[in-house]
Amino acid sequence: MPGLVGRFARTVMAGRRGRLVRWYSGGGGDDDGGGSTEDAQARELIDRQLKLAPAGGHQVLIVQPYIKWGANKDRNTRPEIKADESRSLVRTLAEWSVTDTLLVGLTSYRKHTFFGPGNVDAIALRVARDRRITAVFVSVNVLKPIQHQHLEHRFGVPVYDRYLMVVQIFRRHAITREAKLQVALAELPYIWSRIRGVQDGYAERLGTEAGQIALSGKLGYDDKKDLLKSYEKKLKKLVEKLRSHRQHLRHNRTNKDLPVVAVVGYTNAGKTSLVRALTGDVGLVPKDCLFATLDVTVHGGVLPSNMTVLYVDTIGFISDIPTRLIEPFIATLEDAMFADVIVHVRDMSHPNVIVQKAHVEETLKNLSINPELLNGVIDVGNKVDRLDNVEPDGSSVFISCTTGEGLEELKKKIESQIMKATGRRTIKIRVRTGRDEYEWLRTHTAIVNINTDGDYSVMEVIVTQSDLDVFKSLFIRKKISS
């Protein structure tokens, strides 16, 4: 067993220099760390990337613990459902596979060992007998350093908790520089909780930039702490700069007066599929995996009235998201706070759909979203094609992105909610065909219908109050004054 640990440690300490710095920074420029000795030293630590798995990935034994009874028992979710999500997390990493899943019932979680000695022995024996197993995933939020150290020593293979698993997925699915920085920043609190353990020879198995600071054997604890503080300050500065840029882009969208619809929901509920169906954007390719979307993306669509809207596709929720990953998770939902309408997509075929709905609603409430926006959330039940029967509940729109069922009804509901939320209204105006008033309305409003009669056209348009005031100022008051 110790030999396995030694080989793993040597494997993960290998890696190309500079890869991680380029991963989050995009390479080059003053923002990448400047030229100070301290920055160079920090980058040297970061460059020694840990390899979480060999090139072929890991073959994972999933251990799904649960409290069997008492006040801490989870009465909302069965352990079998949690185990299904744990398997989905592992399979999201393309090179990884699941060898088996163990459900382990406990009366409590042990402070130093997490499991009791009997369970630890049983799991260790399972790993020893099955040579396929190269890692163990204990599906809890975060293992304490002492627990992590104990289990890796006993099992003889790398041990992952949900934090380590999710942060790996985040890193693989982060495309934009902002998302990569948010993930890098989210890694730091985890490392802060670990660096004290390094003094006792504890080698953390985190495949992240921040992990290099905790793992370096060249520096003492105080030096690592100082470098980590400096690195964290630099990341926060970069994130703030990109956040300001994002606010600028959001401001530009507002100035263009295009309604914004934020699409939220659990990961794999069909958010990207819905945005594709509503916009006709064939470039959007939904993926059947968790966290297929990490970066916020914006896509234009047209409603039945010909009104153009912007759909914002956000990161998906998961149950029991590790606390230290909340920051980048919430950051991706910022666009929902500034949308005109929120669409909450649910997978109606999921056995935990009711609990998931409550989780999303509770999270949105905690985002300090405008109460009117929160009260106007459109609830969408997706994947009804997978069910034999769905009973209408009077408040949800049931759809299937696969068959197209319910999409037209949803578009009409979105349109109605936008009209209410933004103060838009439908009016008819008679203008000379092809003249300035005609062309202005075609450019600045959504054209519902045009009836032409000789030199004149009756234009039915959707208009904001501000655009209507501009129209009156340019054409009606101008004519009166002349």
Side-chain angles (χ1 to χ4, degrees):
M1 290 296 180
L4 281 176
V5 177
R7 286 197 298 274
F8 173 76
R10 289 193 293 274
T11 300
V12 297
M13 285 304 292
R16 291 187 305 168
R17 294 163 58 92
R19 183 168 181 258
L20 285 173
V21 171
R22 289 194 295 274
W23 179 82
Y24 83 79
S25 70
D30 294 336
D31 286 344
D32 297 341
S36 70
T37 302
E38 184 183 65
D39 286 338
Q41 197 172 23
R43 287 197 299 269
E44 179 66 22
L45 294 173
I46 292 168
D47 286 351
R48 298 193 199 100
Q49 180 186 11
L50 288 180
K51 297 291 185 180
L52 279 178
H58 268 310
Q59 297 184 74
V60 182
L61 171 66
I62 295 175
V63 180
Q64 183 65 62
Y66 65 96
I67 300 298
K68 294 185 288 187
W69 55 69
N72 294 323
K73 175 182 169 64
D74 187 346
R75 291 172 171 77
N76 294 321
T77 307
R78 302 195 313 274
E80 292 82 3
I81 295 176
K82 286 192 172 184
D84 284 340
E85 186 177 75
S86 299
R87 283 189 285 268
S88 295
L89 282 170
V90 174
R91 290 166 180 160
T92 296
L93 296 165
E95 307 88 358
W96 296 45
S97 61
V98 178
T99 61
D100 204 353
T101 303
L102 300 179
L103 300 180
V104 179
L106 306 170
T107 56
S108 64
Y109 298 144
R110 301 290 182 95
K111 182 177 180 181
H112 298 294
T113 61
F114 190 79
F115 299 105
N119 283 319
V120 171
D121 290 343
I123 298 168
L125 184 61
R126 183 68 168 269
V127 174
R129 287 179 173 176
D130 191 341
R131 296 184 63 84
R132 296 175 303 161
I133 298 171
T134 62
V136 173
F137 173 26
V138 180
S139 189
V140 292
N141 272 2
V142 181
L143 289 168
K144 296 176 181 178
I146 193 170
Q147 295 169 338
H148 206 154
Q149 183 180 19
H150 175 77
L151 295 179
E152 285 197 334
H153 175 72
R154 289 300 313 277
F155 299 161
V157 295
V159 172
Y160 298 88
D161 52 24
R162 285 175 73 89
Y163 179 96
L164 291 175
M165 196 63 66
V166 172
V167 85
Q168 279 199 104
I169 298 169
F170 274 16
R171 286 173 56 81
R172 294 199 183 193
H173 291 182
I175 303 300
T176 65
R177 191 175 184 219
E178 180 179 11
K180 292 174 181 179
L181 283 168
Q182 289 284 3
V183 173
L185 192 60
E187 296 162 0
L188 293 177
Y190 190 95
I191 300 303
W192 276 118
S193 71
R194 256 63 179 168
I195 58 174
R196 292 179 180 85
V198 179
Q199 298 178 91
D200 302 322
Y202 176 59
E204 184 57 60
R205 263 66 173 178
L206 184 63
T208 62
E209 299 100 320
Q212 304 308 299
I213 294 171
L215 283 157
S216 169
K218 293 182 179 181
L219 297 172
Y221 168 69
D222 290 336
D223 292 328
K224 294 172 190 175
K225 185 173 67 173
D226 291 341
L227 281 173
L228 189 58
K229 284 182 178 179
S230 176
Y231 176 63
E232 183 173 29
K233 183 178 180 181
K234 190 179 303 298
L235 281 180
K236 287 182 176 179
K237 182 179 178 181
L238 290 170
V239 168
E240 190 56 39
K241 184 178 292 187
L242 286 175
R243 184 170 286 167
S244 297
H245 175 65
R246 190 157 161 186
Q247 289 172 346
H248 177 69
L249 293 177
R250 190 184 295 128
H251 180 68
N252 286 345
R253 290 205 300 265
T254 303
N255 284 347
K256 291 179 180 178
D257 220 6
L258 293 176
V260 176
V261 179
V263 182
V264 304
Y266 255 67
T267 184
N268 223 23
K271 297 183 302 302
T272 301
S273 296
L274 177 59
V275 173
R276 176 188 169 111
L278 292 173
T279 64
D281 187 346
V282 295
L284 278 172
V285 182
K287 298 178 182 178
D288 187 19
C289 65
L290 304 187
F291 301 116
T293 301
L294 180 57
D295 297 279
V296 171
T297 56
V298 182
H299 310 268
V302 179
L303 294 174
S305 65
N306 292 320
M307 178 167 46
T308 300
V309 296
L310 297 177
Y311 292 98
V312 178
D313 190 6
T314 64
I315 185 176
F317 287 66
I318 62 167
S319 64
D320 300 327
I321 187 168
T323 305
R324 295 183 179 99
L325 288 175
I326 290 291
E327 174 61 28
F329 177 76
I330 294 299
T332 64
L333 292 175
E334 285 181 348
D335 284 276
M337 299 171 63
F338 300 97
D340 297 299
V341 174
I342 296 175
V343 171
H344 174 197
V345 185
R346 297 189 288 138
D347 176 0
M348 297 303 294
S349 67
H350 196 283
N352 237 22
V353 62
I354 295 177
V355 174
Q356 290 180 349
K357 181 176 187 287
H359 179 207
V360 172
E361 291 175 346
E362 183 63 27
T363 302
L364 292 177
K365 286 179 182 177
N366 293 333
L367 283 177
S368 301
I369 291 177
N370 184 303
E372 291 184 6
L373 175 60
L374 203 56
N375 292 334
V377 171
I378 299 175
D379 189 85
V380 176
N382 189 24
K383 304 186 183 182
V384 294
D385 55 297
R386 299 184 180 184
L387 303 174
D388 295 330
N389 184 41
V390 179
E391 292 291 335
D393 60 8
S395 60
S396 303
V397 181
F398 294 118
I399 68 164
S400 167
C401 293
T402 302
T403 66
E405 178 184 346
L407 289 177
E408 290 306 313
E409 178 188 352
L410 176 58
K411 288 180 181 179
K412 291 177 181 177
K413 188 155 188 176
I414 291 173
E415 184 172 277
S416 174
Q417 191 61 30
I418 286 174
M419 297 284 283
K420 178 181 176 182
T422 65
R424 282 172 165 79
R425 55 189 175 124
T426 304
I427 63 172
K428 292 182 179 180
I429 303 178
R430 185 170 182 267
V431 296
R432 290 182 68 88
T433 305
R435 300 294 289 272
D436 291 346
E437 300 98 319
Y438 181 93
E439 295 301 331
W440 192 95
L441 290 171
R442 283 177 59 89
T443 302
H444 294 87
T445 67
I447 308 298
V448 179
N449 189 38
I450 300 177
N451 287 319
T452 302
D453 180 14
D455 293 336
Y456 288 87
S457 294
V458 177
M459 303 181 71
E460 184 178 4
V461 301
I462 295 178
V463 63
T464 63
Q465 184 59 49
S466 59
D467 279 341
L468 183 58
D469 291 341
V470 171
F471 180 83
K472 289 178 179 179
S473 177
L474 288 175
F475 303 109
I476 298 176
R477 292 169 188 161
K478 182 177 180 181
K479 287 182 179 180
I480 293 175
S481 62
S482 60

